[in-house]
Amino acid sequence: MPPATVHLLVVSADPALSARLLTGFEHAAARLAPAAFVIQAVAVSDGDAAMATAVQDGDLHLVLIDHALRSESLTEPAAGVGTVWPAADLAQRLRALRPELSLYILLDDDDDKLAIEGQAGEALSGYFFRSEHDPEGWLRILIAEVAEKCDTPFFDQLLEYVASAKDSWHTPGHAGGDAFKGSAWVADFHGFVGEQMLRADLSVSVPQLDSLLHPVGVIAQAQDLAAEAFGARKTYFATNGTSTSNKVIFQTLLAPGDKLLLDRNCHKSVHHGVILSGARPVYLDSTLNRRWGIFGPVPRATVLAAIAAHPDAKVLILTSCTYDGLRYDLAPIIAAAHAVGIKVIVDEAWYGHARFHPELRPTALECGADYVTQSTHKVLSAFSQASMIHVNDPEFDEHLFRENFNMHASTSPQYTLIASLDVARKQAVMEGYKLLSRSLVHARELREKINATGVFRVLELDDLLTDEVRHDGVRLDPTKLTIAIDASGWDADELREELISRHNIQIEKNTHNTLTLLLTIATTRSKVSRLFDAMLRLAKKKRERRITPQLPEIPGFTRLACLPRDAFYEAGERIALLGDDGRPNPALVDRVCCDQIVPYPPGIPVLVAGQVISTEVLAYLARLLAGQKGIDLHGLATLEGRAHLRVLSEAETRRLQGRDGG
Ligand SMILES: Cc1ncc(COP(=O)(O)O)c(C=O)c1O
């Protein structure tokens, strides 16, 4: 691979200064060139051009702004030059557009520094003094800044350790893959996984690689770089997904009996967190678009009313964006929660890429969230299970968090997952903007092309929203494409099957009348083209038969009879979901569920522990059991081949209702 390119932009209205700087940087770059990247300097003469360059140039990483830009703009803007922005203002705008850019100011004297520090200090990486004119010295500092951003301390150490070929007298038992080599039975696994991956499967017995459970070395450094990149005070790597990350935060923030406001349609891990923490949930009903079978946000009015009604709640948790890409206008909600002292957790499992493109921002952290969980593996390039927990809570209790983190973390984490988080952060910082810009272009093209089939249609924000949230400032992540298929005459299962078996295309998920595709930083033009060709062929095979729309009667929440945790820890009794006649078993109506019953995907519970079972819920579960392919139903017990629900016995119900009525 050729070395990567890093562009350095000089912004000055003084052409002589720009010319001297460019020549100086060019000579210095030839002498200082690092192995990993080449630096190329370019100049523009005003703020508009600088902003345009930042939008267009995905290789831009460094900007040097001449402070004199300000005085010139105030005295006499040169003819033909666009708006000349004050240096501090430009720095702030660049920062708002692309927070990963490193911005430096070229100053005249210390007074200028004080003025600009006051206005834009947070946006800036540093200053140089014009009078010292030292392009080589300055470039040295700029190169060091980029080198720090693209450093991968954990991955580098792992590489070095593996390359040094130490004999393994420790776990794991396969000892760098030696157990597979030469085996007549399992050598194929070695061939499949590969030498490096097996050599890199190390353990906590290797002190050089730090410890995920007590990071003080290369893992701590990698986490610090991630915090900087994602705009958090602290970032923690998690090797058991956002599922575990959510539970860790719940256990840290909530003691048994603490009140919690949560979107009822949060991921199942959040509901598991309710059980583990023993919290008292106040459920907020999110919207459901019945036409497409898609869950949306909780209406803003509902969230604000809940905050007003429960100022004693400790925590509010929301999912933003949702699986289908709907994201809240979080800032006013978070401000209202903070005003009464409620901490806000945002599950950004599907939104880890947002920080790296202005079309996707603001992120939850930028809106003021205290805790954010992200499945770095879902939309960035980390391995499956690799997630991050970001913390901005000013009252963060790190010791308590650590205890809870360590309660859930394996003492043998997979080291390649940690390395993949380190590398995914580097990639997001160094080329996230460029790759996401490409994905967004692909997403627009795909929308147009799929719509042009005249049979399939990509749903827009307006299609996905219901009236309750239409004026809540909800936005759509354009990299998640939901395609309406009902005009095609195919049903969703048939289309999925056709896409995989004939076109080798695996999609993310479907509802009864939609397919959802994810575009990520890895989406390429040829993949887009293959998908479009497939959709076009399928559109041509449009069927005349009319699909009777099976609107999913997703049942609403009933009520809690007791705390979820109390129901979960009772022995309960198991009752068959279907009676002998194959119909929903009436013996379950009005009983209290002990487990959470979750169709997966999307992983949103139909029943939570402690919830009263209604006829509608039963009928829905029975239909799910008989129905849609590709959906697992978590939480059912199978006894003698039949699905059972674990419910409280009559005596347990009476006892718990007396204690804690929900
Ligand atoms: C909203 C939401 N939160 C959390 C998770 C769990 O993430 P992970 O797969 O990283 O454990 C998911 C998974 O689909 C999800 O959709």
Side-chain angles (χ1 to χ4, degrees), residues 7 41 84 92 102 112 145 147 155 163 171 240 257 275 358 391 406 418 493 502 522 536 538 570 594 601 621:
H7 288 161
V84 182
Q92 279 169 330
S102 298
D112 292 343
E145 166 104 8
F155 175 50
T171 59
N240 200 12
I275 292 176
V391 181
N406 289 0
I418 303 172
D493 289 335
R502 288 194 186 256
L536 193 60
L538 290 166
E570 291 295 341
C594 294
L621 286 177

Side-chain angles (χ1 to χ4, degrees), residues 284-618:
L284 313 178
D285 274 331
S286 50
T287 45
L288 169 64
N289 187 325
R290 288 188 187 274
R291 168 90 172 84
W292 306 112
I294 283 171
F295 287 106
V298 180
R300 185 193 298 181
T302 308
V303 185
L304 295 182
I307 291 171
H310 303 280
D312 54 333
K314 288 271 165 49
V315 165
L316 162 71
I317 177 161
L318 296 171
T319 307
S320 187
C321 65
T322 61
Y323 201 178
D324 304 282
L326 295 172
R327 68 176 158 113
Y328 288 83
D329 176 11
L330 283 171
I333 294 175
I334 294 176
H338 282 172
V340 292
I342 299 177
K343 301 283 179 208
V344 181
I345 308 172
V346 179
D347 180 338
E348 273 191 348
W350 294 100
Y351 216 43
H353 53 332
R355 171 83 169 166
F356 304 97
H357 204 284
E359 223 174 291
L360 306 174
R361 296 216 319 276
T363 64
L365 285 178
E366 288 164 353
C367 292
D370 299 290
Y371 297 85
V372 170
T373 49
Q374 290 175 344
S375 299
T376 320
H377 64 95
K378 287 198 198 293
V379 285
L380 291 171
S381 50
F383 284 171
S384 287
Q385 289 191 15
S387 284
M388 292 190 198
I389 302 174
H390 303 297
V391 181
N392 260 353
D393 180 359
E395 290 152 349
F396 179 51
D397 184 337
E398 188 163 17
H399 169 74
L400 204 55
F401 174 85
R402 173 56 60 197
E403 286 304 294
N404 284 293
F405 185 97
N406 289 0
M407 192 183 292
H408 288 274
S410 166
T411 44
S412 312
Q414 170 55 256
Y415 279 38
T416 57
L417 292 190
I418 303 172
S420 80
L421 283 167
D422 204 11
V423 171
R425 184 269 312 151
K426 168 180 173 176
Q427 182 173 37
V429 170
M430 300 312 292
E431 56 181 358
Y433 176 77
K434 184 156 92 175
L435 297 178
L436 284 166
S437 299
R438 184 183 73 175
S439 305
L440 290 164
V441 169
H442 288 333
R444 279 192 281 277
E445 277 171 15
L446 257 183
R447 279 187 150 71
E448 281 164 21
K449 288 183 166 176
I450 288 174
N451 291 345
T453 62
V455 172
F456 299 109
R457 181 170 76 86
V458 178
L459 298 179
E460 297 301 333
L461 176 63
D462 216 39
D463 299 301
L464 295 169
L465 293 182
T466 55
D467 286 343
E468 305 109 285
V469 287
R470 210 169 287 288
H471 304 292
D472 283 359
V474 175
R475 293 175 65 187
L476 177 64
D477 173 356
T479 64
K480 298 177 175 73
L481 246 62
T482 302
I483 305 171
I485 60 166
D486 42 5
S488 72
W490 294 75
D491 79 27
D493 289 335
E494 289 169 339
L495 267 184
R496 265 193 102 141
E497 181 54 34
E498 193 73 3
L499 279 169
I500 188 72
S501 60
R502 288 194 186 256
H503 302 281
N504 293 324
I505 289 174
Q506 187 72 267
I507 61 158
E508 176 63 31
K509 72 158 174 98
N510 64 275
T511 65
H512 64 295
N513 57 2
T514 66
L515 305 180
T516 299
L517 312 169
L518 282 190
L519 285 94
T520 70
I521 55 168
T523 305
T524 58
R525 181 161 292 285
S526 14
K527 250 168 76 177
V528 168
S529 147
R530 285 197 293 275
L531 177 78
F532 171 64
D533 291 347
M535 295 307 283
L536 193 60
R537 286 207 184 116
L538 290 166
K540 286 186 183 149
K541 290 205 252 171
K542 175 175 187 252
R543 298 174 169 187
E544 285 318 316
R545 104 186 132 100
R546 281 219 61 71
I547 301 275
T548 0
Q550 294 168 315
L551 292 188
E553 292 301 324
I554 301 175
F557 186 67
T558 49
R559 68 181 172 86
L560 279 186
C562 57
L563 288 187
R565 177 157 93 172
D566 290 344
F568 181 76
Y569 284 115
E570 291 295 341
E573 56 183 332
R574 288 168 173 78
I575 299 184
L577 176 58
L578 304 178
D580 292 338
D581 57 359
R583 299 161 74 92
N585 187 351
L588 280 165
V589 175
D590 289 337
R591 299 298 291 269
V592 178
C593 200
C594 294
D595 297 309
Q596 65 188 31
I597 311 298
V598 189
Y600 208 95
I604 296 171
V606 175
L607 281 170
V608 294
Q611 185 178 338
V612 176
I613 301 170
S614 64
T615 316
E616 292 73 32
V617 169
L618 267 187

